[in-house]
Amino acid sequence: MSARIRGALPSFLIFVGVLLVWEFGLAALNVQSFVLPRPTVILAALVDQADLLARATLYTGSEVVGGLLVGCGLGVLAAFAAARWRTVREGFLPMGVAASSIPILALAPLTNIWFTAESATSRMAIVAVLTFFPMMVNTVRGLTQVDPAALELMTACAASEGQILRKLRIPNALPYMFTGLKVATTLAVIGAVVGEYFGGPLAALGVYIQSEAYNFRYNHAWAAILIACAMGIGFYVLAILAERVVLPWHASERRAEGAQLGH
Amino acid sequence: MNAVVELVGSSKTFGAGRAATVALQGIDLSIGVGEFVSLIGPSGCGKSTLLRLIGDLIPATSGEVRVNGKPAAQARRGREYGIVFQAPVLMDWRTVDRNVELPLEISGVPRAERRARAAAMLKLVELADFGGRYPWQLSGGMQQRVAIARALATDPALLLMDEPFGALDEMTRERLNLELMRIWRSTGTTVVFVTHSIPEAVFLSGRVVVMSARPGRVTRVVDIDLPQPRTAETRNQERYFELVTTVRAALRAGGADAAAAEAEGLGTEPADAERIVAEGLA
Amino acid sequence: MPGLAVGADEGGHSRAVRMALVAAVLVAVVLIWEGAKWLGGDPWRLHNTLFGIRIDYEHTPPFHWPIASDIALPHIWVILAAFVLPYQRFGDPAWLVLLEAALYTFREALVGFVLGALLGLGLGIVFVRSRLLERAFMPYVVASQAVPLITIAPIIVIFFGNAWTSVALISAYLTFFPVTVSALRGLRAADPRAFEYFRSTAASERQMLTKLRLPAAVPYLFVAFRISAAAAVVGAIIGELPNGLQQGVGGLILQSSQYYVTGPERLWATVIAAALLGLACVGAVALAERLLTRGRYRTVSA
């Protein structure tokens, strides 16, 4: 445990150092504190605007969760179809790869028109499209990149297709699916907040950030940015915790439990 | 003689047309109940392919392969053999005892019986205390013993082993050889064992089938008349060294091919294995 | 055993068949699109004279779905036609306007990409040399993957005033993280025995870097470059939004979405242009990778 603390010490010191320089140093250097307010000022804004920010957080958070559920759910379904039928896979996987090179956020104005900008459904749709592809691609990988020897073993046991799926492919895919989920959580928060830059109710983090920055109330904008960052990390950490619970055998656990036994 | 494994004129060709490679040609082999038979030969002689024909993991191109008097495919569907690969191929997400239970689960054995059977098998391979561990918590040798326990869990009439100790260090290998002998005596299972270690083949087997490459075929079958049970003492017997020499000479007799094979395809083994797997699954 | 060999895609269909499958998916999308419009879109009428034959056809869809209306979902041929029609009244044809905008955004993304890649590689080299610096800064590099820092785009734009610079910076910001992570992995990816060999020859740190670490890192870097190329384009487009840069694709998206009702197909055309820009950038990196590393490396995963 003490080794762990020592390992984290340098980065913790950096954190404190940056905060101190930010708080006291910037004023001394005469940097535009207007655009980059001191941490205490941002915290004050956070308290001051607590009501509105809480509503905005709930609103944007609901977009993230809703979009994640739809996008990841559909992604997993599509992945099972793609893993089962080579024809489906060869038709759809190139789409998944192409989708990762496309600025999907540019679709935000379109979903605003379909679902109206005031509706959370609009951002949920963007988040769903953003998260669908990494989830699908990773799940397909997990379902198909199975140790060939394990497949031989299953064949030797005369296992049925269903048994191979349940006892080999799905457990094999779970770590990949969590990788997809972790990527998806990050994208989801970005998708919801940036999607709101194209319109939405004022009590939404993205709309709030943009309108406060536009009106030179940078302390307010920063407070909302802080929340958005916390939300991103929060969902990411949730995904990691879920992974630990679901995958007790997984590599990230091995380090914690120590070295393997000798003979 | 009551044959567990019977091959009559079995051949295997990979690919077609000009790209075709004859992996095995005209194999005749009969293995009786309770026998321990090793297949030995240079890289690319098709010994692993032969094992996969017996296990119906790949189909023979021509000829007949029978296991327990039935066509190999029928025997596989009847789950009449167990198999151990060079890698343990344990499922990371299953504890050791649940790994051993896997073939029983697939055959639909009730849970209580599965548990009892897995416990008995782990006791047989002397890992009774490790049932609750995950595979990564075990050493390589222990993992391979779990794989053996899994292969024996269904109490099969036939055990197929594909270089099961090839990836282990010499000391572990010798110890596991002794242990395998003890298990074989106590279960009475027929074993077909692929290896490229001459001492291992001689120490374990009742018969050593010597193969040569391009095309893969059986060049000689050496009877190993060492007394049973085989113990650590066996390795010190004069007769043991004579038989090692005999097998080595038999391998060298098919040597013209072997040397050519080696010169032609340095390190072809993994590629071969991959191809075998790919073909087997296609 | 059909269906078992899903792992071995090399044994899959031929290239031509796979291309045909991708094309089939595209055709299916078009069919669903136009099918939805046929069933629930706006009524339309074909009234024309072709080769002297008078055509007069009227179609009234049986349902009325708002999402399939001409405003929400223009006909595909209308979108395609929008590329050749003027983007603004009496202006240049849309494809020319969009091409110019794409080149403008491309330049921003390129500057951002180069800056970000250099920074990422530099950080990777520094971290490989110094465990202390790595321990101090790496947690932030990792955490930043989870932080939607792109949300500060509006503030960066105002802070730097010069719109073009700020857009390139946002682009660089999105580029450098994947490169740092991959560089660090790649610079350590060489065979440990190769490191021992270099040590046995008393090679200097610099020689170890240029002759072992960097060459070994190349495939990892290209994996990152592909991710970063897409991210750089996204960064450039997002960066253009809050500062009203009208010359770029992002600005055009904003502009055409504001005038959506007067020409929905323009927004669609612009979004398609943005997609093509992203594909082209990633494709260029993939092409460079193939030309530079062909046959020399085995593939690594992201």
Side-chain angles (χ1 to χ4, degrees), chain A residues 133-143 173 176-177 179-180 183:
Chain A
F133 290 105
M135 199 63 194
M136 179 190 82
V137 171
N138 275 291
T139 308
V140 170
R141 258 188 215 155
L143 288 170
Y176 292 82
M177 290 166 75
T179 305
V183 174

Side-chain angles (χ1 to χ4, degrees), chain A residues 8 23 65 68 76 98 125 151 177 195 211 231 233 263:
Chain A
E23 180 72 34
V65 172
L68 266 177
V76 169
L151 276 177
M177 290 166 75
S211 74
M231 192 186 279
I233 293 178
H263 291 293

Side-chain angles (χ1 to χ4, degrees), chain C residues 97-158:
Chain C
V97 175
L98 290 172
L99 186 65
E100 277 168 6
L103 283 175
Y104 186 86
T105 303
F106 171 73
R107 281 199 300 274
E108 295 167 338
L110 184 65
V111 172
F113 178 83
V114 171
L115 284 178
L118 287 176
L119 179 61
L121 186 57
L123 278 180
I125 291 172
V126 169
F127 288 168
V128 159
R129 290 290 294 273
S130 162
R131 281 263 166 199
L132 181 69
L133 287 178
E134 187 198 349
R135 279 221 309 262
F137 286 101
M138 206 50 200
Y140 297 105
V141 174
V142 174
S144 69
Q145 302 272 45
V147 169
L149 261 182
I150 196 174
T151 52
I152 64 169
I155 289 190
I156 290 191
V157 167
I158 290 155

Side-chain angles (χ1 to χ4, degrees), chain A residues 57 60-61 64 68 181-191 193 205 224-240, chain C residues 142-149 151:
Chain A
T57 307
T60 304
V64 172
L68 266 177
L181 183 64
K182 280 185 271 182
V183 174
T185 54
T186 345
L187 286 175
V189 177
I190 291 176
V193 175
L205 287 179
I225 287 169
L226 207 64
I227 292 178
C229 292
M231 192 186 279
I233 293 178
F235 279 113
Y236 190 77
V237 168
L238 272 183
I240 290 176
Chain C
V142 174
S144 69
Q145 302 272 45
V147 169
L149 261 182
T151 52

Side-chain angles (χ1 to χ4, degrees), chain C residues 18 26 31 70 73-74 76 89 91 94 145 158 173 180-181 293:
Chain C
R18 274 179 299 173
L26 284 176
L31 285 179
D70 283 349
L73 202 70
I76 283 172
R89 196 178 299 207
Q145 302 272 45
I158 290 155
Y173 177 83
T180 307
V181 174
T293 71

Side-chain angles (χ1 to χ4, degrees), chain A residues 66-79:
Chain A
L68 266 177
L69 287 177
V70 174
C72 291
L74 291 178
V76 169
L77 281 183

Side-chain angles (χ1 to χ4, degrees), chain A:
Chain A
M1 200 61 206
S2 78
R4 240 178 128 170
I5 291 175
R6 219 174 308 139
L9 194 62
S11 60
F12 179 72
L13 288 178
I14 297 266
F15 181 69
V16 174
V18 166
L19 276 186
L20 287 177
V21 170
W22 189 352
E23 180 72 34
F24 301 109
L26 286 187
L29 288 170
N30 201 14
V31 177
Q32 273 180 291
S33 70
F34 190 54
V35 170
L36 186 63
R38 285 174 291 131
T40 45
V41 175
I42 294 176
L43 279 181
L46 201 61
V47 175
D48 186 44
Q49 295 286 302
D51 247 18
L52 184 55
L53 283 174
R55 270 190 293 139
T57 307
L58 275 181
Y59 180 84
T60 304
S62 73
E63 291 172 348
V64 172
V65 172
L68 266 177
L69 287 177
V70 174
C72 291
L74 291 178
V76 169
L77 281 183
F80 272 86
R84 178 65 190 80
W85 293 288
R86 178 186 289 158
T87 310
V88 176
R89 183 163 66 251
E90 286 176 353
F92 275 99
L93 269 195
M95 299 281 164
V97 175
S100 67
S101 358
I102 287 178
I104 290 173
L105 281 168
L107 290 175
L110 288 171
T111 62
N112 276 349
I113 283 145
W114 289 340
F115 305 106
T116 75
E118 276 62 44
S119 157
T121 319
S122 171
R123 263 75 59 189
M124 280 184 201
I126 282 291
V127 171
V129 176
L130 270 174
T131 55
F132 173 86
F133 290 105
M135 199 63 194
M136 179 190 82
V137 171
N138 275 291
T139 308
V140 170
R141 258 188 215 155
L143 288 170
T144 54
Q145 293 185 356
V146 174
D147 180 2
L151 276 177
E152 270 198 320
L153 177 75
M154 288 302 203
T155 313
C157 295
S160 67
E161 283 286 333
Q163 285 173 324
I164 292 176
L165 185 68
R166 282 198 309 279
K167 294 184 193 302
L168 181 59
R169 292 193 189 283
I170 291 178
N172 189 70
L174 282 174
Y176 292 82
M177 290 166 75
F178 274 106
T179 305
L181 183 64
K182 280 185 271 182
V183 174
T185 54
T186 345
L187 286 175
V189 177
I190 291 176
V193 175
V194 177
E196 285 164 355
Y197 289 168
F198 289 93
L202 184 64
L205 287 179
V207 179
Y208 185 83
I209 292 170
Q210 212 176 19
S211 74
E212 295 301 277
Y214 190 74
N215 291 314
F216 308 110
R217 288 192 289 269
Y218 294 110
N219 51 344
H220 290 179
W222 276 104
I225 287 169
L226 207 64
I227 292 178
C229 292
M231 192 186 279
I233 293 178
F235 279 113
Y236 190 77
V237 168
L238 272 183
I240 290 176
L241 288 180
E243 183 180 29
R244 291 238 169 123
V245 172
V246 178
L247 311 180
W249 69 83
H250 197 238
S252 55
E253 290 295 283
R254 298 179 190 188
R255 251 169 278 135
E257 286 195 36
Q260 65 172 20
L261 297 168
H263 291 293

